[in-house]
Amino acid sequence: MSENKVLSDLEIAQRASIKPIQEIAERAGINLDALELYGPFKAKINPARLTLPEGKPAGKVVLVSAMSPTPAGEGKSTTTVGLADSLARAGHKVMIALREPSLGPILGMKGGATGGGYSQVLPMDDINLHFTGDFHAITSANNALMALVDNHIFQGNELGIDPRRMTFKRVLDMNDRALREVVIGLGGPAQGVPRQDGFDITVASEIMAVFCLASDLADLRCRLGKITFGYTHERKPVTVADLGVEGALTLLLKDAIKPNLVQTIAGTPALVHGGPFANIAHGCNSLIATRTAQQLADIVVTEAGFGADLGAEKYMDIKSRIADVAPSAVVVVATIRALKMQGGVPKEDLSIPNVESLAAGVENLKRHVGNVAKFGISPVVSINKFATDTAEELDWLLAWCAAEGVQAAVADVWGRGGGGDGGDELAAKVAAALDAPSNFHHLYPLDLPVEDKIRTIAQEIYGADGVEFSVPALRRLADIEKNGWSGLPVCMAKTQYSFTDDASQLGAPKGFRVHVRDLIPKTGAGFIVALTGAVMTMPGLPKEPAAMRMDVDPDGNPTGLF
């Protein structure tokens, strides 16, 4: 192999020195009898057995978000890992809290969710594939519920469930467009009651959202019982508790709900747990993992999916309402490549220096930075360095940030790692931001009508002129009011690629309206999902899926995995 060859993420991970997970647990202050080992390098933490230091204040949270994602790549997870490693290198007691990757996008086109280069969590191949089986457990619980619902209908339908008004679907942790719309129960009376149905991807399941917002096992059971899966013929909501199966669903999730402990290449402890999408769900790792990290560390570095218009807004308006996990600092990740793409440069030309397009694309970053400030926090911009970035382009962006009054630093954590000196300057600026006063607040009060909450997000965060509701959405608004759900926060389901609901509109568009086609009350998770534009709850695979490049060698080692 040539010494000049650039190693892939997988090759870097395979060459890394990985420590026994017990050693990482000791470093984090986790007593060993709270560990449940999944081999030598992975473990679950049993919160009931965890011995915590008395009087320790909760660790401060750093939330890592980003500009609008592009095919050029932004490196949010890479920055999260590199920043945490750099803070640890500076002497802080740090833990990472990340989401688990979904298998569907990994085999499709997204790539992994364990960081990259020399800022990764390990073992990256296990985490990106089946890991500890959490997603399988969530899939099983979701589909067990629907099997029990359809059996109830078949066995006489004592609850009077209307098969035409089901709002809950079966799920699969795979991008499979063929399952978006299906018909079940065919084959005669012995096979069940025929009805139209469909599949969502597991990370869009309400059980995934419940899993990630539950504070403990008892709260998980309570939230599962509150899930509304359909309506009666009289249009009254029917819940899991009405069916009496919340206990069984909790039983299927009793081990999965325990946070997973792994490590970075530099040896920083990381909790990787839960994984709702941010474009169709709330996009944050589990609350249990975040709070466990807060109990153990002084600084918790976490992330929320996609751009700050999606994951970060939901972290602050949904997750931070449930528990005291509001961020004390926010990082917005940007890259020269992505900014040039936002400015109109095609992907194949992104390596060509182009300050003019950079200046045009920076409007996207400006809107994200301004949005974070609306929550009372001044963000730090992390410029994730690529080898093709020129000094002129990096200097221009740093000067722009300075002129806007925004703290910024270039982070070379992919190439030099947070365990090296690649993230030292970023870590120093984030540490200073943690010590600075902030005035965190939510974007809207919960007593605001649902349609006004949606308008507030669309106008304040997306920059829209207004919102248009379809006729079905207007009917759903009336049902929400009638059923007493109007006090719930809103979870916007929107394309991640644009501030609008049209994925082709890049930059920072103006003069548009957001189109809400339907509203789905998620009464167990505790929010209302607003479906906008053409966003899908079951993605499809691209023409050339990443799976085409994946294989395993004769020794069982993966190949082609990033």
Side-chain angles (χ1 to χ4, degrees):
M1 180 183 295
S2 169
E3 292 184 2
N4 295 324
K5 180 183 183 294
V6 177
L7 299 177
S8 69
D9 290 345
L10 179 58
E11 289 170 328
I12 291 170
Q14 289 173 331
R15 295 181 179 200
S17 175
I18 187 167
K19 299 177 176 63
I21 199 63
Q22 296 95 325
E23 183 178 330
I24 300 300
E26 289 178 0
R27 178 179 299 184
I30 300 168
N31 46 297
L32 296 185
D33 61 345
L35 286 188
E36 298 177 2
L37 300 180
Y38 281 65
F41 307 121
K42 299 173 292 182
K44 280 190 169 290
I45 301 172
N46 187 340
R49 291 177 173 269
L50 194 59
T51 302
L52 299 170
E54 290 187 17
K56 178 192 171 301
K60 294 182 177 181
V61 174
V62 178
L63 176 64
V64 179
S65 186
M67 57 180 287
S68 299
T70 69
E74 287 66 56
K76 189 165 71 270
S77 297
T78 302
T79 300
T80 299
V81 175
L83 171 60
D85 284 343
S86 297
L87 287 165
R89 169 180 155 89
H92 300 282
K93 188 172 184 180
V94 183
M95 286 193 77
I96 296 171
L98 290 175
R99 293 177 297 163
E100 299 178 52
S102 171
L103 193 59
I106 286 168
L107 297 181
M109 64 179 288
K110 178 182 179 293
T114 57
Y118 293 91
S119 292
Q120 298 188 57
V121 285
L122 304 174
M124 71 88 83
D125 50 337
D126 285 358
I127 297 169
N128 279 307
L129 295 174
H130 303 286
F131 200 20
T132 58
D134 294 346
F135 281 23
H136 300 308
I138 291 166
T139 300
S140 296
N142 185 106
N143 295 342
L145 169 60
M146 294 319 296
L148 290 161
V149 169
D150 283 308
N151 181 64
H152 180 89
I153 296 171
F154 175 75
Q155 299 291 354
N157 200 4
E158 182 182 345
L159 291 172
I161 301 166
D162 188 342
R164 304 165 302 170
R165 293 192 169 91
M166 303 293 289
T167 59
F168 210 89
K169 296 181 179 182
R170 288 166 168 83
V171 298
L172 193 68
D173 190 28
M174 186 57 56
N175 293 10
D176 194 347
R177 61 172 56 84
L179 293 178
R180 287 172 181 162
E181 300 290 342
V182 301
V183 177
I184 63 172
L186 300 181
Q191 312 308 323
V193 178
R195 68 178 179 88
Q196 186 174 349
D197 198 7
F199 278 73
D200 290 335
I201 191 166
T202 297
V203 286
S205 166
E206 183 175 1
I207 290 187
M208 174 67 82
V210 164
F211 181 93
C212 287
L213 291 171
S215 57
D216 52 31
L217 193 63
D219 187 42
L220 174 67
R221 188 181 190 280
C222 179
R223 287 176 176 273
L224 289 169
K226 291 179 179 179
I227 290 175
T228 299
F229 61 78
Y231 295 83
T232 67
H233 290 281
E234 292 75 31
R235 300 194 178 187
K236 294 181 180 179
V238 188
T239 68
V240 170
D242 293 330
L243 197 63
V245 299
E246 65 270 36
L249 303 187
T250 307
L251 179 63
L252 291 174
L253 298 171
K254 69 178 181 64
D255 293 317
I257 198 66
K258 300 168 186 174
N260 304 302
L261 177 68
V262 286
Q263 64 190 282
T264 71
I265 288 177
T268 302
L271 298 180
V272 180
H273 196 223
F277 274 175
N279 58 343
I280 48 182
H282 73 284
C284 309
N285 71 288
S286 78
L287 177 61
I288 289 177
T290 304
R291 292 177 71 177
T292 299
Q294 282 185 293
Q295 291 171 319
L296 293 165
D298 297 326
I299 299 175
V300 178
V301 184
T302 189
E303 70 168 23
F306 296 125
D309 58 321
L310 288 169
E313 184 273 319
K314 294 169 183 179
Y315 185 99
M316 294 188 270
D317 274 328
I318 296 175
K319 184 172 180 176
S320 293
R321 290 186 195 267
I322 294 172
D324 185 18
V325 294
S328 298
V330 175
V331 175
V332 178
V333 179
T335 67
I336 298 295
R337 290 167 54 85
L339 288 169
K340 287 192 290 189
M341 198 166 207
Q342 293 288 349
V345 176
K347 186 177 180 180
E348 59 269 21
D349 294 335
L350 292 176
S351 297
I352 301 172
N354 192 332
V355 173
E356 292 75 18
S357 293
L358 180 61
V362 82
E363 289 300 314
N364 181 273
L365 176 61
K366 182 176 182 178
R367 185 170 292 179
H368 284 293
V369 167
N371 285 343
V372 172
K374 290 178 180 179
F375 292 92
I377 299 174
S378 298
V380 176
V381 170
S382 172
I383 305 169
N384 184 24
K385 188 178 185 299
F386 278 67
T388 55
D389 297 344
T390 66
E392 180 186 14
E393 290 170 323
L394 292 168
D395 289 344
W396 185 92
L397 185 52
L398 286 169
W400 179 87
C401 290
E404 294 288 324
V406 178
Q407 292 293 314
V410 175
D412 188 9
V413 293
W414 190 97
R416 304 210 308 265
D421 61 354
D424 285 359
E425 184 180 357
L426 175 63
K429 289 184 180 292
V430 169
L434 286 171
D435 290 335
S438 63
N439 181 31
F440 174 79
H441 53 267
H442 305 296
L443 187 67
Y444 54 80
L446 289 180
D447 59 3
L448 206 63
V450 171
E451 58 266 42
D452 290 339
K453 293 171 189 169
I454 294 171
R455 288 193 185 97
T456 298
I457 295 170
Q459 293 173 340
E460 292 293 323
I461 301 299
Y462 307 157
D465 288 345
V467 178
E468 293 181 3
F469 294 90
S470 71
V471 172
L474 290 172
R475 291 198 194 103
R476 196 77 76 180
L477 281 171
D479 289 341
I480 289 168
E481 180 69 28
K482 180 182 71 175
N483 290 315
W485 299 328
S486 57
L488 297 176
V490 168
C491 181
M492 300 294 288
K494 179 185 73 68
T495 176
Q496 65 269 34
Y497 296 115
S498 175
F499 281 111
T500 75
D501 54 27
D502 177 359
S504 68
Q505 300 298 308
L506 303 184
K510 297 179 180 179
F512 66 92
R513 300 178 73 81
V514 171
H515 304 87
V516 176
R517 72 175 195 263
D518 203 359
L519 296 164
I520 305 176
K522 303 289 188 180
T523 52
F527 53 67
I528 307 292
V529 172
L531 292 167
T532 71
V535 67
M536 293 286 184
T537 54
M538 170 56 88
L541 292 169
K543 186 175 182 179
E544 294 185 11
M548 303 294 290
R549 301 185 294 274
M550 297 177 186
D551 207 335
V552 60
D553 69 18
D555 295 323
N557 299 308
T559 62
L561 190 65
F562 326 120

